[in-house]
Amino acid sequence: GGEILEPNPEKKKRFDESSIRELEIKEMGSSKDIIENIIEEKSSEFPSLREIAAQSAMLEEKIKEEIDVLEDEGKLITFNLTKDIYIIHINYYDKVKKKIVESLEVFHKKYPLRLGISKEEIRSRFLPKAKSRAAELFIARLIDEGYIEQVSQNITIKGFEVELEEEEKRLYQDILNVFKENKYQPPKKEDLSSILDRNADEVEELFMLILNREDLFKLNEEVYLDLDVYKDSIQKLKEYIIENGSISIEEFRDLLDTNRKVALSLLEHYDMEKITIRQDDKRVLSK
């Protein structure tokens, strides 16, 4: 003559206090209590309306009504996506928010020249079980509430700015000048410290800042170009193809007075950007 508390139970640890409390709520509580408990327990997974229905054996319509009430009470946060609604508990939101903010504060103190932590790292470290779009909306909420901000592809504490000393400003410009002067024969990033005769760690920090500020154009992990040089390469490419009909890797290499690696990296980039189309071993303009 027992009572079924969970129609689809998951394995629980014996004498686990949170599991016992969950079962007590299901035995004694209202449907609203049950739904809130399920969501709080499952918040790290960003449970959907369907998943909560399966866990609680309640109709989705009833669950949605109770979720609306709980959201109005400030206990839940919902993320509305195209195919479903994902819900988390405010306690989970506050806990993750605190971790993200504290981690950023530590990061800024340790790396004052870096523009925060990449958005992808924030997602993978603090929201590993969340659906990709739900994680995006979680981060967007933190931005809207003024806790953090996004700079390019990085996340920083709201109001954080990199402040360079005069010597750092000079080195910053020196790095840019190396790429501007070498045009289509850009140095490897690991060679910059020897070229400039400066401390490798200092050069690396400023180089990363340059990339985060998008003051250099990154073709791939090995090739970086001055922004004006990159724009010039597109102009040269178009003029050559308009006059000659197409261009090969070798012809482009000679046109820019560069090496094959840079020429190929640029042409592959143009293909991805739909500037060019590859036809056999040549490229033509896409438009």
Side-chain angles (χ1 to χ4, degrees), residues 72-282:
D72 288 342
E73 292 175 354
K75 295 179 179 179
L76 300 181
I77 296 172
T78 61
F79 300 101
N80 295 293
L81 303 183
T82 305
K83 294 183 179 180
D84 213 336
I85 300 172
Y86 297 94
I87 310 100
I88 61 173
H89 200 278
I90 189 65
N91 292 342
Y92 172 77
Y93 175 78
D94 287 340
K95 181 175 71 174
V96 176
K97 173 181 70 181
K98 185 172 184 288
K99 287 182 178 179
I100 291 174
V101 169
E102 287 178 349
S103 293
L104 285 169
E105 288 172 344
V106 170
F107 185 90
H108 289 323
K109 187 174 181 179
K110 186 175 181 180
Y111 303 108
L113 298 184
R114 297 189 189 181
L115 282 178
I117 302 173
S118 74
K119 190 175 184 180
E120 177 54 31
E121 184 179 343
I122 292 287
R123 191 198 65 77
S124 63
R125 279 177 58 189
F126 300 103
L127 303 163
K129 296 180 182 179
K131 289 78 176 172
S132 178
R133 183 60 184 141
E136 287 275 345
L137 292 175
F138 186 105
I139 293 171
R141 184 183 179 97
L142 290 180
I143 293 171
D144 290 342
E145 291 183 349
Y147 293 102
I148 61 175
E149 59 184 298
Q150 182 168 343
V151 181
S152 185
Q153 295 302 310
N154 291 352
I155 300 297
T156 73
I157 287 289
K158 179 71 174 180
F160 172 79
E161 291 184 5
V162 172
E163 297 181 1
L164 297 178
E165 303 290 341
E166 287 304 314
E167 183 58 30
E168 290 171 332
K169 290 178 182 178
R170 284 192 287 272
L171 180 53
Y172 188 101
Q173 191 58 51
D174 287 344
I175 294 171
L176 290 176
N177 289 341
V178 170
F179 286 90
K180 187 178 292 291
E181 291 164 3
N182 286 277
K183 292 190 176 181
Y184 298 109
Q185 299 283 351
K188 295 179 180 179
K189 61 181 178 182
E190 55 267 27
D191 293 338
L192 285 170
S193 60
S194 59
I195 292 171
L196 295 167
D197 192 24
R198 299 295 293 265
N199 177 271
D201 291 338
E202 186 180 13
V203 170
E204 182 181 0
E205 287 296 311
L206 286 171
F207 184 75
M208 290 180 65
L209 178 60
I210 286 170
L211 293 182
N212 286 329
R213 286 179 169 177
E214 299 181 349
D215 286 341
L216 274 181
F217 187 82
K218 179 181 178 180
L219 273 173
N220 52 47
E221 292 298 331
E222 295 185 347
V223 181
Y224 305 86
L225 293 175
D226 173 80
L227 293 177
D228 291 333
V229 170
Y230 167 70
K231 293 174 185 176
D232 177 67
S233 74
I234 297 175
Q235 186 63 34
K236 281 183 166 63
L237 171 91
K238 289 181 176 180
E239 290 175 355
Y240 186 95
I241 295 178
I242 289 171
E243 184 175 347
N244 298 280
S246 64
I247 195 167
S248 67
I249 296 174
E250 291 75 18
E251 290 166 340
F252 193 48
R253 177 199 63 199
D254 295 343
L255 178 67
L256 299 183
D257 189 23
T258 187
N259 56 53
R260 181 180 174 83
K261 182 171 73 174
V262 172
L264 180 58
S265 296
L266 278 167
L267 289 174
E268 288 177 341
H269 169 75
Y270 300 149
D271 292 344
M272 288 190 293
E273 294 296 313
K274 310 298 182 185
I275 297 172
T276 55
I277 298 173
R278 182 176 178 179
Q279 293 183 350
D280 297 322
D281 62 344
K282 293 181 177 290

